[in-house]
Amino acid sequence: LHKMTSIDTQHTDLIHDAQMDFFGKRVATCSSDRTIRIFNVAEDSMTLATELKGHEGPVWQVSWAHPNFGSVLVSCSFDRKVIIWKEEGGNWTIWHEFPFNRSVNTVAWAPVDLGLVIACGSSDGTISILSFSESAGWSKIKTLKAHEPGVNAISWAPYQIGGPCRLVSGGSDNTVKIWTRKTEDGIEWDVETLSGHGHWVRDVAWAPNIGLPYSTIASSSQEGKVKIWTKMNNERVWTSVDLPLEGNEPVWRVSWSITGNILAVSSGDNRVSLWKESLEEKNDNKPVWRSISRLDENGDLIVADDEN
């Protein structure tokens, strides 16, 4: 990648999210214009496939289900609704709608091994777990009291055979919380709170795990901080390090590479930077993270001199 490609989505207002499907063949975008647009992706271009209308307010986020379940998309909006969309015979329709009390800010599908399960975070401070079964259809199986001023982000832990079902959330109470399911029916959950941010937590991302004996989570905040949290599988305590970011612009999104060793960070200065843990450096026996490249606001790729 040497140059960013810009696409005219023809949205008429701010774009809040853009997500590729599992195969990277389609992109879904959502906007304050209350619509969702789905594009077919070619090598360096995108063509509009369809426009989905059903929300009555700004659409904050979209997320694709695993292709094992067909072409399924979930969206959340300021209109206090979560809509699950399904494509059949080339036509997209609303599969199910869930009403909420306040704006729904974030949605995330559980790992495919857990079935059709969605976690939704709302401005009422709760996380709702939605589930589908052939016998009962869609239902809300649990509501967790999470972050009292509002939930801003959710990310599920990678599925591990015999391991716990977990997710991480970030909220306007400046905390990150780890949720662990205690019962198979999803009714009872344990929670652990991680403190360290001084402002709203804007995003959280649980890193993919390729058999490593520890878990890793990235969190970002309004104060311009990104923290990397790690915990060994045989330990109880999470430890954290801060990325050495320049400035104090809000950090809106963090996203891991498919192997979980490179972190993308997008911030309020219109830049996206890529970070990687140094394999040679330690600071007080803690890992050291280095920027390896970044995209500036013009779309130019700048590679760091020392990639470590």
Side-chain angles (χ1 to χ4, degrees):
L1 176 66
H2 295 286
K3 186 70 177 179
M4 178 174 62
T5 300
S6 297
I7 304 296
D8 181 10
T9 64
Q10 298 182 7
H11 280 295
T12 58
D13 210 326
L14 290 175
I15 298 170
H16 297 290
D17 197 17
Q19 295 292 332
M20 276 190 166
D21 70 357
F22 182 84
F23 299 109
K25 298 295 185 181
R26 292 192 287 187
V27 169
T29 61
C30 62
S31 166
S32 280
D33 66 10
R34 306 181 180 187
T35 69
I36 298 163
R37 292 181 169 230
I38 297 177
F39 298 84
N40 295 323
V41 179
E43 287 187 4
D44 57 355
S45 64
M46 297 195 304
T47 56
L48 180 63
T50 191
E51 182 181 67
L52 306 181
K53 294 182 178 180
H55 284 292
E56 299 168 357
V59 186
W60 301 132
Q61 206 170 72
V62 289
S63 183
W64 293 91
H66 192 278
N68 280 7
F69 305 115
S71 295
V72 179
L73 189 72
V74 64
S75 58
C76 62
S77 169
F78 181 76
D79 66 2
R80 308 178 182 184
K81 288 192 296 187
V82 166
I83 299 180
I84 302 163
W85 310 81
K86 190 172 185 178
E87 182 188 34
E88 293 181 313
N91 296 315
W92 285 87
T93 57
I94 294 177
W95 188 4
H96 197 86
E97 287 188 19
F98 282 95
F100 286 78
N101 296 322
R102 299 283 299 277
S103 169
V104 186
N105 306 320
T106 181
V107 285
W109 291 97
V112 59
D113 307 83
L114 300 179
L116 279 168
V117 177
I118 308 169
C120 313
S122 172
S123 289
D124 67 4
T126 65
I127 296 172
S128 297
I129 308 297
L130 316 178
S131 179
F132 176 81
S133 67
E134 292 294 342
S135 59
W138 283 100
S139 61
K140 184 184 295 186
I141 61 173
K142 181 64 178 179
T143 299
L144 304 168
K145 294 182 179 179
H147 305 271
E148 186 171 343
V151 182
N152 299 324
I154 293 173
S155 178
W156 291 84
Y159 177 79
Q160 293 179 315
I161 298 176
C165 172
R166 296 178 293 176
L167 61 86
V168 59
S169 63
S172 298
D173 59 356
N174 308 348
T175 69
V176 173
K177 293 189 176 183
I178 313 292
W179 304 85
T180 303
R181 190 179 68 180
K182 293 177 62 178
T183 56
E184 286 294 323
D185 59 9
I187 301 301
E188 295 186 36
W189 294 71
D190 282 333
V191 62
E192 181 179 2
T193 300
L194 307 180
S195 300
H197 286 289
H199 212 301
W200 290 8
V201 178
R202 286 297 185 180
D203 201 14
V204 290
W206 204 305
N209 191 296
I210 52 175
L212 298 173
Y214 55 85
S215 296
T216 304
I217 294 169
S219 61
S220 65
S221 67
Q222 184 76 22
E223 65 190 328
K225 182 183 291 186
V226 173
K227 300 183 77 68
I228 309 295
W229 307 86
T230 56
K231 183 176 77 70
M232 299 299 295
N233 292 347
N234 60 351
E235 296 180 354
R236 298 180 59 87
V237 178
W238 290 84
T239 60
S240 70
V241 297
D242 293 354
L243 293 190
L245 300 175
E246 298 178 359
N248 56 0
E249 294 289 338
V251 181
W252 301 112
R253 289 290 181 91
V254 285
S255 179
W256 293 99
S257 64
I258 194 170
T259 54
N261 65 332
I262 295 176
L263 181 70
V265 175
S266 61
S267 50
D269 56 3
N270 297 324
R271 294 180 178 179
V272 177
S273 55
L274 300 182
W275 296 79
K276 188 174 183 179
E277 181 182 348
S278 172
L279 299 179
E280 300 175 355
E281 293 181 86
K282 294 288 183 181
N283 184 8
D284 292 333
N285 207 32
K286 290 185 176 182
V288 173
W289 288 75
R290 298 295 185 190
S291 174
I292 58 175
S293 62
R294 63 180 173 87
L295 280 171
D296 66 15
E297 58 185 336
N298 298 317
D300 295 320
L301 180 68
I302 302 171
V303 179
D305 293 332
D306 182 9
E307 296 186 11
N308 283 327

